[in-house]
Structures are given as structure tokens and as C-alpha cells.
Amino acid sequence: MKTKRVFDGQRGVITSIFVASIFVNLLVLTAPLYMLQLFARVMASGSLPTLLALTTGAAIALVFFFLFDVIRQRLVARLGSRLEARLSPAVLQALISGALPAALRSAEPIRDIQDLRGFVTSPVFIALLDAPWSILFIALIFVFSPILGLVAVAGLAVLLTLGVLSEMMARKPGETAEEAARETNAAVEEMMLNAEIIHAMGKTNAQIGRWRGRAFTAILFGTLVTDRVALMTSLAKATRMGLQIAVLGVGVVLVINNQLTPGLMIASSILLGRAAAPVEQSIAGWRALLKARSAVARLNLLLAHAETEGARMELPDPDGRLSVEGATVVLPGRQDPLLMDITLTLQPGHALGLIGPSGAGKTTFARALVGLQPLVRGHVRIDDAALTDWDPEQIGRHIGFLPQQVELFRGTIAENIAMMDPGAKPSDVVAAAKRARVHELILALPGGYNAEVGPRGSYLSAGQRQRIGLARAFFGDRKLIVLDEPNANLDPEGEEALASAIEAACARGAIVVVVTHRLNLLRRVSHAALLQDGRIARFGEARQIIEAATQPLSRHQGDPGQDPKVTPLAPRRAARQGHGADSTAAEGAPS
């Protein structure tokens, strides 16, 4: 499969831009040719009709110059728009799909696309298009006078040398400044996400100091790049002006010696200015060119890593049978697997409670069930078809997921329940809220379903956000619903509503997998599994596992008024009891 590149599919627009540039640069010759004819014909003959004819021809040529230049500018603008319109969806899809390495999973590629579009529509890009035409203009000067041609070549060589020096001087500090700027922006995003805890714990100055160190590096090297490019730009301007003076001075000597006409001298000066202008502008915009080049390199790397798969055939809508076969997860940089040979089967209507100590792999397993965590070995199957064989859009309509950290979009409660789908029916939104037992809670809020949740759901409490996220997981025809610590922020009333929602979902034929330690929820599920060190230490009917888990409670003094948490035993005890279907490895503890 051919790897996508940034400029793939833009050949027609780029070709049109080059064709327009041909006409623009040919019509640039209007002024020097007009000047040449004035000295050669009009001033020699004094013919006003000739002057009128030449002026009319020049005016027509300028009209065409204007038209072709406008066309080129618009084509360049269209190229920038097409690049952003084509690349942004592909980049977003790659970022959301999780198919990229961790180093590429950020919002920076979107900024790279915007930087690339800004460069394409800038005067620097136009100057680069015009730069090859400098050779033609220098060749014409050679035709007029070989001596002036040699002067022009020497001056242009100096300008090109300044351009190369500018690139060499700005490359390393420019890369360092860009990297530091990205780290600075990432630090600011982290500070904004954790602004409340930073302020509450009195670490504002410490965090600003941490940010200042990165920002100082970006500022220092950015200033260094600016200074070096400015130095080269000023030298280029002085060189161009000196070059035109040199051409005029040498031209006057040639005119005095009758080796050149005044018209050819002035025409050579105009052509030299036109030949040197693109090189000078390129030097002035060298930093923008460096940023654009880095952006293209990063985008090409991202597109190379992104999986570009063709459209998949849709399978029949699933009944909801779930089977996990030898699921193994190993993260990059780690030798020990997070999950090892997880195997289990659930039928429609089953509910599975996942328990285990911190770091046992519960969240990783939950993410693997919904396709967010790739497996190095094994399969997650729905209706005997591996999750990776389903069309993501199709199977996604039948999977509900509630992560530990519930994030809401800026919008209304109804929009968040429908995952911002503009085609969602209000009746389906209300039905999902009722399934999640949050309909009355929503109606009690000011504005009801039309209430704004604010940025990241900040207008709602943590418990309210979690229950809205639960309704989102129940929206539509969900056959598999995975809930990761869904009762972490719920009060007893909310926890009871959650348990009722799980029972109702199972009654409709859905499979519910819930990560929890609360016995109140474990008593309402049909199956339970104990994860320990990335393996299933015990799997079976929830009743049996609850009995084994709560036996130690009779030997300890507990608070009968609280719902206990299930906490696994130490690994050595689990090893003594074995890992078979009848082994037990759970111990209760008060919450």
C-alpha cells in the first residue's frame, strides 16, 4: 500500500500554479522591453504614434499580467485550503484511532497543517516559485551585454551564498526553538488542565517557574534565529542595491564607449532587480520556510504511521456475544505484559464485574474490549468476528464506553448524550437518559436537556458528569457496554440508579462489563473476574466469588453501615490456592 504524502492529490493545482507563473514572469518583461523600445524607436524618431502604439501594447500586457497574477494568487490560496481540507480529517482520524506512536499523539499536527497553509499562501512561497526565472532574466542580460551579465551573475552568486549561509546559521537554533515552543505549549495545556489543584495547593509559582525554563529556551533560540536571518536579510538588501548600482555604473561606461545603448542599460537594471527580488524575499522568509519544511517532515512521518485501510464490508448487526481469546498487551518500553493470555466468554444478557488490585490491568482490559488498546497477541471477538475485522463506524454504534475520567464536550446535555451527533433524535436522547436512570436528574437542572455543560463539563459536578457519561454509554443500540469505575463519584442514590441501569441493560440482551470493587454492584452482576498481575486469577459466577471475597470479613472488625470494597489477597496466598476455576483470591475490606 502506497504511503500518503502531504502533497498527494494536488498535482493539478500545483501544475496550474506553475503555468500561471510562466505567464506572470514572461509578462514581467513588459517594462524592460517597453523601456528598450522607447529609447530605440521613439526617442530616435520622435514619433508619437509609435509611442501610442507601444504604450497601448504595454497596457494590454499589464492587464494580462494582472489577470494571471490574480489567478496565481487564487490558485495558491486554493492549494492551501485543499491541503488543510484534505490533511486535517486524515490527521484527526489517525490521532483518534490510536494507531500512532505515543510521540505523535498530540494536537501539534493540526498546528503543522495551519503553519503549512500559512506558508503556502505567503509571499515567500510566491518568491520561491519566481526564483527559477532569475536564470532567464540573467540570460537576457547576457544577451544585452556579456559584461553586465557577468556582473549580474556575480551579484546573484553572492545572494545565493547569503541564502545558504542563512539556512546553515538558522537550521539548528530553529529546530531547537520549535521543539522548545512545542514543550512550552504542552506545559501550558497541562497547567490549564490542572489549574484548580495548582492554585489550591499553592504551586502556581513553581509551575510558572517550570514553564519559564522551557519558554526561555524557546525565546532565546527564537531570538537567535531572528537575529541571524535579519542579518542575512539586511546583507541581501544591501547586496541587491549595490548590485543595481554596479550594473548602472558599468552600463554607463559601456554607453560612453558606444558598447551599449541607454535603453539596454536601463532594461538590464530592471531585469536584474526582478532576478534578485525572489532570492532576497526567500532569505527574508527563511524562518517561515524552515517551519514549513519541518511541518511537512512531521506530517509525512505521521501519514506514514497512520493506517490507511480501504472501506470494509459491513457485517450483519451483532447479537452481542463476546469472547476474549488469549488477549495479551505489552506496552512499548516495557518487557512485562500488562495483560497475559486473558480468555473468557460472555453471552448476551451477562454482566461481568472486574475486580483486582491497582495495576492489575483492569483499565487496560476494559480499553482492549472496546478496541482502544491494541493486542500483541489474541483477539477480542464479537459474534465470532475479531474486533479489528469490524468496520469501526459500524461496531462503534453497538459499543458503549464510560472511561474513568469522564470528559464532556462544550455544548448541551442532550448533545453530549448523543456524542454531538446533529442527526440524533431527541426521543433517542431521552431514551438513553431513562436507561441510565438520569432523566429526572437532568430535568431538575436549569434548562434540562438544553443546559450547557461548559468547557469539559465544568458547569456540572463530578457525579453529574459521570451520570451524563453513563447516559452517553447507553445511547443507541448498544450490545456491549464497558464501564470503568462508573460509581467513583456517585452517591448512594446514584449508585443504586447505576445498578438498576445495568440490570435493565442486561435484560434487553446487552453485555455489561463493569470495573468496580463495590459489593453493591457485584451483587447485581451475573459474573465476576479477579485480575491479578495481568492474569485472570478467578472467573465465574459473581455469587461464588462474592462469597469467597467476603469470608475474611467475618474475621475482621468492619463497619456494617458501609458497603465494603473487594480487595484481592496477596499473590503468595493466591498461588497457594491455585489459579483454577475453584480457587479464591479475594479479601474484603471496609470502604
Side-chain angles (χ1 to χ4, degrees):
M1 183 178 295
K2 184 180 178 181
T3 303
K4 285 186 177 180
R5 308 286 291 179
V6 169
F7 290 98
D8 285 352
Q10 310 302 329
R11 180 178 299 177
V13 178
I14 294 175
T15 302
S16 300
I17 292 173
F18 275 107
V19 171
S21 295
I22 292 175
F23 288 103
V24 167
N25 283 278
L26 287 176
L27 291 169
V28 163
L29 299 175
T30 300
L33 291 177
Y34 179 73
M35 187 69 64
L36 181 62
Q37 294 300 316
L38 282 182
F39 279 94
R41 298 179 182 274
V42 177
M43 296 185 68
S45 63
S47 174
L48 293 180
T50 303
L51 174 62
L52 180 61
L54 289 174
T55 304
T56 302
I60 294 174
L62 290 178
V63 169
F64 278 100
F65 172 83
F66 165 76
L67 293 176
F68 280 111
D69 192 49
V70 168
I71 291 172
R72 183 172 66 165
Q73 295 284 355
R74 293 193 175 188
L75 287 172
V76 167
R78 298 304 183 275
L79 176 60
S81 300
R82 284 167 62 100
L83 286 172
E84 185 167 5
R86 172 186 169 273
L87 292 175
S88 295
V91 168
L92 284 174
Q93 185 175 13
L95 293 173
I96 293 172
S97 67
L100 300 175
L104 297 176
R105 297 176 193 170
S106 68
E108 291 295 333
I110 300 300
R111 296 192 184 99
D112 285 339
I113 295 173
Q114 295 169 349
D115 289 343
L116 179 59
R117 181 186 179 183
F119 172 76
V120 167
T121 56
S122 69
V124 179
F125 183 71
I126 299 294
L128 292 176
L129 292 176
D130 292 337
W133 289 90
S134 299
I135 300 175
L136 173 63
F137 300 144
I138 296 298
L140 286 176
I141 296 176
F142 261 105
V143 172
F144 296 160
S145 172
I147 296 176
L148 290 182
L150 291 175
V151 174
V153 167
L156 204 61
V158 173
L159 288 176
L160 291 174
T161 302
L162 292 176
V164 173
L165 289 175
S166 178
E167 198 277 340
M168 294 175 60
M169 294 170 62
R171 182 192 304 167
K172 288 297 182 182
E175 292 175 353
T176 304
E178 286 187 22
E179 181 63 27
R182 285 195 296 272
E183 292 181 357
T184 301
N185 293 333
V188 172
E189 291 178 1
E190 289 179 351
M191 291 168 63
M192 293 300 98
L193 289 176
N194 299 280
E196 293 182 352
I197 191 171
I198 291 173
H199 177 72
M201 300 185 69
K203 294 299 181 181
T204 302
N205 291 333
Q207 291 294 328
I208 292 177
R210 174 172 170 264
W211 165 84
R212 185 182 288 117
R214 299 177 180 178
F216 178 76
T217 301
I219 294 172
L220 178 64
F221 283 93
T223 303
L224 181 61
V225 172
T226 302
D227 289 345
R228 291 181 177 181
V229 172
L231 174 63
M232 293 295 108
T233 301
S234 298
L235 284 175
K237 289 180 180 179
T239 300
R240 180 181 59 80
M241 294 173 64
L243 182 58
Q244 287 187 298
I245 291 174
V247 167
L248 289 174
V250 174
V252 168
V253 174
L254 294 175
V255 170
I256 292 174
N257 294 327
N258 294 321
Q259 295 177 327
L260 189 70
T261 65
L264 289 176
M265 179 188 69
I266 296 177
S268 298
S269 177
I270 295 174
L271 287 174
L272 180 61
R274 182 64 186 180
V279 180
E280 180 186 340
Q281 291 177 5
S282 299
I283 296 174
W286 207 261
R287 186 173 184 182
L289 176 60
L290 291 177
K291 290 183 64 176
R293 187 177 65 179
S294 299
V296 170
R298 287 192 295 268
L299 289 172
N300 281 332
L301 180 62
L302 184 148
L303 293 174
H305 280 87
E307 296 181 2
T308 54
E309 301 179 354
R312 300 182 187 179
M313 182 189 76
E314 285 200 0
L315 300 174
D317 286 345
D319 294 327
R321 297 187 307 276
L322 174 68
S323 60
V324 183
E325 303 171 355
T328 301
V329 173
V330 179
L331 295 183
R334 290 190 53 169
Q335 295 181 349
D336 55 321
L338 288 181
L339 295 179
M340 174 64 75
D341 292 329
I342 302 294
T343 299
L344 56 84
T345 301
L346 296 172
Q347 298 295 329
H350 284 176
L352 173 67
L354 282 176
I355 60 175
S358 298
K362 302 185 298 297
T363 294
T364 302
F365 183 50
R367 289 170 54 83
L369 288 178
V370 297
L372 295 179
Q373 179 61 60
L375 305 178
V376 297
R377 188 172 64 248
H379 298 283
V380 174
R381 298 184 182 275
I382 296 180
D383 284 7
D384 300 326
L387 198 61
T388 52
D389 293 337
W390 287 86
D391 179 77
E393 289 293 323
Q394 181 193 9
I395 195 60
R397 295 193 295 266
H398 300 283
I399 293 178
F401 181 54
L402 178 69
Q404 279 188 1
Q405 185 68 31
V406 179
E407 298 287 351
L408 299 182
F409 298 95
R410 186 191 296 268
T412 66
I413 290 177
E415 289 173 333
N416 274 275
I417 293 177
M419 279 295 294
M420 314 307 287
D421 183 359
K425 298 179 181 178
S427 58
D428 293 339
V429 174
V430 174
K434 289 182 176 180
R435 289 173 187 169
R437 304 296 193 268
V438 296
H439 177 65
E440 290 76 12
L441 180 146
I442 295 173
L443 293 180
L445 295 174
Y449 284 91
N450 297 313
E452 293 284 338
V453 302
R456 307 173 66 87
S458 59
Y459 296 169
L460 304 177
S461 68
Q464 289 171 334
R465 286 197 299 271
Q466 197 154 35
R467 297 188 68 179
I468 297 302
L470 183 65
R472 182 173 63 190
F474 280 83
F475 178 78
D477 183 21
R478 307 297 177 181
K479 299 298 185 181
L480 172 63
I481 301 173
V482 180
L483 311 174
D484 191 358
E485 297 284 0
N487 55 343
N489 298 305
L490 298 184
D491 55 18
E493 180 182 354
E495 192 166 322
E496 178 61 29
L498 170 63
S500 300
I502 293 174
E503 289 180 336
C506 293
R508 293 192 305 273
I511 293 177
V512 180
V513 178
V514 54
V515 178
T516 185
H517 292 295
R518 296 286 187 178
L519 287 177
N520 183 41
L521 282 184
L522 288 176
R523 293 190 182 102
R524 311 287 276 272
V525 300
S526 60
H527 294 72
L530 169 64
L531 283 180
Q532 200 161 27
D533 296 329
R535 298 175 181 267
I536 290 186
R538 184 175 176 84
F539 170 67
E541 293 185 3
R543 177 181 55 81
Q544 297 175 350
I545 293 183
I546 290 175
E547 290 176 357
T550 55
Q551 283 177 3
L553 288 178
S554 61
R555 300 193 297 267
H556 297 280
Q557 187 68 27
D559 184 357
Q562 291 183 335
D563 179 33
K565 291 182 178 179
V566 178
T567 306
L569 295 175
R572 284 186 296 177
R573 178 174 178 182
R576 289 198 305 267
Q577 294 178 339
H579 297 288
D582 296 330
S583 64
T584 179
E587 183 177 78
S591 61

